[in-house]
């Protein structure tokens, strides 16, 4: 057996830490990630864990807004430094920086994320424009980062694929806004629904918001069959899980959404993932699909 270098050994340990965070904070995404190619899986986990840590700082792990802002600023500096040097003593930052260096994830994608985290510290009401910027930084760039890791790299330079990745990230975020409306407003004092009152959500509001998610998922769906190999199946599974959740939010209506967190039961999650793995999911992604082919079927962070 070839002995690992100290750097490689630490990187391996750092990746394992990221995988623990992924499994702890997102059962649905963790299940979908099991379908990723083994070479891709640790990199997607590293991206998720890095983003999750930033999100937790501004969502209450650090209750003092001044201290939270200082931590986010320090995290930004550490991330850039780690990408430049290839090492950070914090395992989550190190794992992410290793992935970033391998796949060309740079300030163009990193800084908008931290910009959105800073917004969450101070902003409680959004305009349409401020929300667009927020979603780009909190979700769309994460989609682009993940895209860069698929199939060994190279997909991130394809403009159509990048647009699909951004749309999928935006859809995930918007579903979370609708699912978490009670928690976001009552516990965190935030309204991510410009022009709408979370205390008086209407049936029309829910339908319009769910339709907006479907529009993003339709854009994303067109790119899924162009992802080579097993990574395609994992993206299809994530796509379909959020499509299922969006359907349930629409069916729950204003009263159900406002009452609490609508969820997809675990047996249904497993069934959705099983169909996606067999190439029979909503996204139309199927093993052996030609690159450039169009997905068919029904339409489909935080």
């Amino acid at each position: 057996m070839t002995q690992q270098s100290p750097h490689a050994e630490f990187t391996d340990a750092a990746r394992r830490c990221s995988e623990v965070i992924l499994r702890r904070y997102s059962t649905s995404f963790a299940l979908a990630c099991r379908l990723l190619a083994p070479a891709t899986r640790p990199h997607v986990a590293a991206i998720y864990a890095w983003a999750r840590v930033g999100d937790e700082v501004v969502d209450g792990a650090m209750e003092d807004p001044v201290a939270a802002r200082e931590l986010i600023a320090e995290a930004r500096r550490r991330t850039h430094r780690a990408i430049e040097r290839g090492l950070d003593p914090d395992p989550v930052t190190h794992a992410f920086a290793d992935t970033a260096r391998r796949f060309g994830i740079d300030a163009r994608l990193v800084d908008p994320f931290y910009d959105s985290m800073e917004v969450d510290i101070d902003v409680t009401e959004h305009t349409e424009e401020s929300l667009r910027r927020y979603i780009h930084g909190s979700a769309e760039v994460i989609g682009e980062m993940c895209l860069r890791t698929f199939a060994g790299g190279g997909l991130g330079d394809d403009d159509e694929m990048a647009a699909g990745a951004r749309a999928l990230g935006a859809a995930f975020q918007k579903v979370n806004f609708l699912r978490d409306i009670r928690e976001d407003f009552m516990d965190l004092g935030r309204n991510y629904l410009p022009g709408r009152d979370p205390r008086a959500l209407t049936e029309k509001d829910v339908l319009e918001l769910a339709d907006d998610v479907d529009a993003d998922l339709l854009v994303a769906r067109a790119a899924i069959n162009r992802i080579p190999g097993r990574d395609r199946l994992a993206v299809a599974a994530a796509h379909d899980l959020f499509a299922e959740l969006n359907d349930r939010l629409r069916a729950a209506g204003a009263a159900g959404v406002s009452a609490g967190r609508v969820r997809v039961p675990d047996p249904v999650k497993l069934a959705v993932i099983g169909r996606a793995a067999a190439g029979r999911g909503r996204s139309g992604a199927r093993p052996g699909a030609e690159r450039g082919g169009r997905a068919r079927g029904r339409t489909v962070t935080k």
Side-chain angles (χ1 to χ4, degrees):
M1 176 184 293
T2 303
Q3 186 174 5
Q4 287 185 312
S5 69
H7 185 275
E9 187 171 6
F10 179 60
T11 300
D12 182 63
R15 289 174 176 173
R16 291 176 184 272
C17 290
S18 296
E19 290 168 359
V20 170
I21 291 174
L22 169 59
R23 292 194 300 270
R24 171 63 179 81
Y25 280 95
S26 179
T27 55
S28 296
F29 194 59
L31 284 170
C33 282
R34 292 182 186 180
L35 298 178
L36 288 166
T40 306
R41 200 176 303 141
H43 298 297
V44 171
I47 292 167
Y48 178 91
W50 169 80
R52 183 79 256 174
V53 168
D55 197 48
E56 286 303 306
V57 168
V58 300
D59 277 357
M62 177 59 67
E63 295 182 357
D64 179 355
V66 174
R69 183 175 290 280
E70 291 174 353
L71 276 181
I72 289 297
E74 175 59 20
R76 187 196 297 255
R77 290 191 294 270
R78 289 186 67 161
T79 296
H80 285 305
R81 186 170 61 238
I83 293 172
E84 179 183 352
R85 297 178 179 177
L87 180 66
D88 192 87
D90 170 65
V92 171
T93 303
H94 178 77
F96 174 77
D98 175 74
T99 292
R101 286 166 64 89
R102 290 171 185 264
F103 296 102
I105 297 170
D106 56 18
R108 181 183 70 84
L109 299 177
V110 168
D111 282 335
F113 171 76
Y114 283 119
D115 291 344
S116 287
M117 295 303 98
E118 289 180 346
V119 165
D120 262 341
I121 297 171
D122 298 321
V123 175
T124 57
E125 292 278 346
H126 281 276
T127 65
E128 293 288 349
E129 177 58 25
S130 72
L131 187 68
R132 185 197 65 77
R133 291 194 302 270
Y134 176 82
I135 291 173
H136 174 70
S138 65
E140 292 181 348
V141 298
I142 305 302
E144 282 200 64
M145 289 178 188
C146 292
L147 175 68
R148 286 185 168 271
T149 72
F150 296 153
L155 299 179
D157 295 325
D158 183 313
D159 290 342
E160 289 188 4
M161 294 294 287
R166 289 192 298 271
L168 192 59
F172 290 177
Q173 182 67 289
K174 292 172 185 177
V175 167
N176 287 338
F177 289 158
L178 191 53
R179 179 193 62 184
D180 299 335
I181 187 170
R182 180 181 176 87
E183 177 183 343
D184 286 336
F185 188 73
M186 298 299 294
D187 297 343
L188 301 175
R190 300 178 191 151
N191 181 7
Y192 294 107
L193 309 178
R196 294 180 169 91
D197 184 352
R199 294 163 298 188
L201 204 65
T202 69
E203 298 300 323
K204 183 173 182 287
D205 289 333
V206 172
L207 290 175
E208 288 178 349
L209 292 165
D211 286 348
D212 187 37
V213 170
D214 276 344
D216 283 329
L217 291 172
L218 181 60
V219 173
R221 183 179 70 172
I224 288 178
N225 274 357
R226 296 183 59 201
I227 301 173
R230 282 185 55 177
D231 293 338
R232 178 194 312 119
L233 301 180
V235 180
H239 169 286
D240 292 359
L241 283 169
F242 276 81
E244 178 68 28
L245 179 54
N246 195 44
D247 284 351
R248 288 171 179 264
L249 289 163
R250 180 187 279 109
V257 170
S258 298
R261 201 165 148 119
V262 176
R263 64 183 299 273
V264 178
D266 288 343
V268 177
K269 289 181 183 178
L270 293 173
V272 169
I273 290 172
R275 288 193 295 270
R280 295 184 287 104
R282 299 182 183 203
S283 66
R286 59 200 184 282
E290 295 294 331
R291 288 203 59 173
R294 293 296 180 186
R296 299 174 184 172
R298 197 172 179 283
T299 60
V300 60
T301 234
K302 282 190 268 197

